[in-house]
Every structure is written in C-alpha cells, then in structure tokens.
C-alpha cells in the first residue's frame, strides 16, 4: 500500500459544517505527523492554520492523497482537476446522497486513520472528454466524471439532433436532449431520466434520451471505448448547451457537433475496506434489504 505523507484538503465553500470537519481533519492529520496542504480557496476558511497553501492543479502534482470534504458535487470538480495526476482521492460526506463521498463525519478519525494505515480499497473510475466544434473550430472542451448532457438551456423547445456511435448513425431525434453517463453517473441525472443503474466496474456508457418525441426511444448502453458524436440539426431553432457534470457549460448553435469519448486518465477513488456498492444503493435509494416477516 502507498505511504501518504503529503495530504491535500479540498472543501465545499459556504458551509459551516464543512469548515468544522476541515478543522477536525486538519488537527487529526497534523497530530498524526502528516504534512497537510490546503487548497487556496479553503485556506481563508481556516485562519491561523500555518499550513502550506496551493492551487488545485499544484495539489495534484505534490500530494500523495487528496481528501475532499463536501458532497458528490465537490468530488466531481476535484476529480476533473486531479485525474490527470494519478493522485488518489478520498471523500468525506458533508452533502446529500454521498455516492462518492462515503466517509461519515461521525467516523472521521477512525475511517481516515484506517486509510492512512493502508486499509482501503481502490476504484479506478473513468471519465469522459467532450469536444464541441463548429466546423473546424473547437468551441470548448471539458471532462465529466458523471455525465455529458445536451439540453435546451433556457429554452422550452425540443432539440433536433443526430446521434452516431463509432461512425454509425443510431437515430435522428427530437427531444429535450440526451444524457451520456458513465457508470459513476448512472445513479445521478441519468437515473432520474429513467436510465439503468450500472455497477461502477462496468466499462460501458449509457445514452438516455430526455423526453423524446417518439415513445420507442429508450436508453442504450454501449461499449465504454465507443466514440459518440451528436450533430445538432441546422434546422434546429434553438441554441442548446452542453453541460459536463452540471458544472461546466458550453453554448452551442445549430450545426455544431459534440464528440464524446473516454478520457485516457482515470480517477483513483479510495474507499474503506467494507465499501459495498449494493449497500450504498440500499441506503441512499431506500431499497429494502430483506422481506418483512
């Protein structure tokens, strides 16, 4: 197991509970002899900390481990920034569901201590790269750990587009858009739109239409190494958006194309040894674990 000496801390801004947890975590890590590095946006929340401060990018270069305190949204942002540096990421849940940030604040010291002692599981989660082009010009690009979503933006009108998988046309569709989700994102927006729950170990991508005009349009699961291309119809009367993880937004126009493929680098996500995907589903989604007698 790896030796974690330099540990970076990232926290969601605007939450007193996050600040309290960051203070506990800082105290625990310093007392246990680790070097703690704060993300620059977090440093102002901990006055008098006397710790090294750096940008999120620099954190990926100098840290052996990064701990994210917040919700799944906080970890999504950290994942996009840190995956290229191969630094492992651990999540402490101070948000809502907590599919990715699975350490409870009530067990903070004991659980983090177990990870530091080498008692952890590693999951390699793949991300998607999305490229928006207008002819030969690239308008924007971003990564996504959960999903890449084509949607109408502020308009209430349907989008007309064509979908290609590995160069083969799948369909021409009029709908409110399309969700392209990884297994990690299958329990997020795609699930709300009627998509399937996918185990995180699957090497696959799910395509979920959003309120399609034809009732026969259903989610499609394709190989994770597929190259997807969405072409917005030139006759489309609206200017839609592409959103990555609901946090990065790229404006589009009729005739633009969106290419989506698997990112070469993966997120190294750490979990406690007793991490269980199905137990998380039972807890977070309200599934029953057994029949009542």
């Amino acid at each position: 197991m790896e030796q974690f000496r330099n540990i970076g801390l990232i926290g969601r801004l605007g939450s007193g509970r996050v600040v309290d947890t960051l203070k506990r975590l800082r105290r625990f890590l310093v007392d246990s002899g680790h070097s703690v590095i704060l993300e620059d946006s977090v440093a102002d929340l901990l006055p008098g900390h006397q710790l090294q401060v750096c940008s999120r990018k620099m954190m990926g270069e100098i840290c052996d481990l990064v701990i994210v305190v917040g919700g799944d949204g906080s970890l999504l942002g950290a994942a996009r920034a840190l995956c290229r540096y191969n630094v492992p990421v651990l999540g402490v849940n101070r948000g809502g569901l907590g599919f990715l940030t699975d350490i409870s604040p009530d067990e903070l010291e004991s659980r983090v201590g177990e990870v530091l002692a080498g008692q952890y599981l590693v999951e390699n989660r793949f991300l998607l790269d999305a490229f928006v082009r207008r002819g030969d010009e690239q308008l924007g690009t971003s990564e996504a750990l959960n999903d890449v979503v084509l949607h109408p933006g502020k308009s209430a009108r349907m989008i007309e587009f064509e979908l290609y998988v590995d160069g083969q046309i799948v369909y021409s569709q009029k709908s409110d858009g399309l969700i392209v989700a990884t297994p990690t994102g299958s329990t997020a927006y795609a699930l709300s739109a009627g998509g399937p729950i996918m185990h995180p170990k699957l090497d696959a991508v799910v395509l979920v239409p959003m309120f399609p005009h034809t009732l026969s349009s259903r989610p499609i699961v394709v190989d994770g190494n597929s190259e997807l291309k969405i072409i917005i119809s030139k006759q489309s009367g609206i200017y839609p958006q592409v959103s990555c993880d609901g946090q990065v937004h790229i404006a589009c126009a009729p005739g633009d194309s969106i290419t989506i493929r698997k990112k070469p680098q993966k997120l190294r996500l750490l979990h406690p040894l007793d991490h269980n995907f199905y137990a998380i589903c039972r807890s977070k989604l309200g599934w029953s674990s057994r029949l009542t007698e």
Side-chain angles (χ1 to χ4, degrees):
M1 291 293 180
E2 298 177 66
Q3 294 295 315
F4 303 126
R5 296 184 178 86
N6 299 317
I7 301 178
L9 296 185
I10 293 175
R12 180 167 61 90
L13 304 181
S15 169
R17 297 189 307 164
V18 168
V19 173
D20 292 340
T21 302
L22 283 169
K23 290 178 178 178
R24 282 176 56 193
L25 194 52
R26 176 196 63 181
R27 184 164 54 249
F28 172 73
L29 294 173
V30 171
D31 290 347
S32 58
H34 293 84
S35 174
V36 178
I37 300 99
L38 300 179
E39 185 187 16
D40 45 17
S41 61
V42 169
D44 294 338
L45 304 177
L46 304 174
H49 55 77
Q50 297 181 332
L51 299 173
Q52 182 178 349
V53 177
C54 70
S55 66
R56 187 169 293 191
K57 177 182 177 181
M58 182 62 68
M59 189 171 283
E61 296 177 352
I62 65 177
C63 290
D64 306 309
L65 170 68
V66 173
I67 302 178
V68 179
V69 179
D72 286 346
S74 301
L75 199 140
L76 291 174
R80 294 195 305 272
L82 298 173
C83 67
R84 68 198 66 188
Y85 301 103
N86 201 37
V87 58
V89 176
L90 179 68
V92 176
N93 187 24
R94 270 304 192 183
L97 282 177
F99 270 96
L100 300 173
T101 51
D102 53 4
I103 290 182
S104 168
D106 297 335
E107 303 176 303
L108 181 66
E109 290 82 1
S110 61
R111 289 299 195 177
V112 173
E114 290 172 1
V115 171
L116 298 179
Q119 301 175 41
Y120 59 85
L121 301 174
V122 182
E123 280 190 336
N124 293 309
R125 303 283 187 100
F126 74 84
L127 294 84
L128 299 173
D129 275 325
F131 308 89
V132 179
R133 292 186 174 89
R134 182 169 300 158
D136 295 331
E137 179 188 1
Q138 182 164 294
L139 300 180
T141 180
S142 181
E143 305 99 337
L145 176 60
N146 264 359
D147 46 42
V148 178
V149 181
L150 173 67
H151 61 96
K154 296 180 180 180
S155 174
R157 297 175 60 186
M158 286 186 169
I159 310 167
E160 186 173 354
F161 61 90
E162 292 180 340
L163 170 66
Y164 294 80
V165 176
D166 292 328
Q168 298 181 337
I169 187 166
V170 179
Y171 50 57
S172 177
Q173 184 178 102
K174 289 186 70 174
S175 67
D176 280 3
L178 184 71
I179 302 170
V180 180
T182 66
T184 301
S186 70
T187 53
Y189 195 11
L191 180 62
S192 300
I197 293 175
M198 302 166 68
H199 193 281
K201 290 184 179 180
L202 284 175
D203 188 2
V205 172
V206 63
L207 315 175
V208 185
M210 299 165 59
F211 298 101
H213 197 255
T214 54
L215 296 178
S216 59
S217 294
R218 291 292 182 265
I220 302 174
V221 178
V222 300
D223 185 87
N225 294 308
S226 302
E227 181 176 273
L228 313 176
K229 190 170 186 178
I230 304 168
I231 300 179
I232 303 170
S233 171
K234 292 183 178 180
Q235 282 71 47
S236 181
I238 68 170
Y239 290 73
Q241 287 188 345
V242 169
S243 295
C244 295
D245 289 340
Q247 297 176 343
V248 180
H249 310 285
I250 305 170
C252 302
D256 289 354
S257 66
I258 303 102
T259 301
I260 303 168
R261 64 174 73 99
K262 182 192 289 183
K263 190 173 185 64
Q265 303 89 357
K266 294 184 178 182
L267 169 68
R268 296 177 61 207
L269 185 61
L270 303 191
H271 300 288
L273 282 178
D274 61 355
H275 172 78
N276 183 302
F277 175 71
Y278 303 111
I280 291 176
C281 287
R282 287 197 302 272
S283 171
K284 306 300 181 182
L285 301 178
W287 293 355
S288 175
S289 59
R290 67 182 65 187
L291 295 175
T292 57
E293 297 181 358

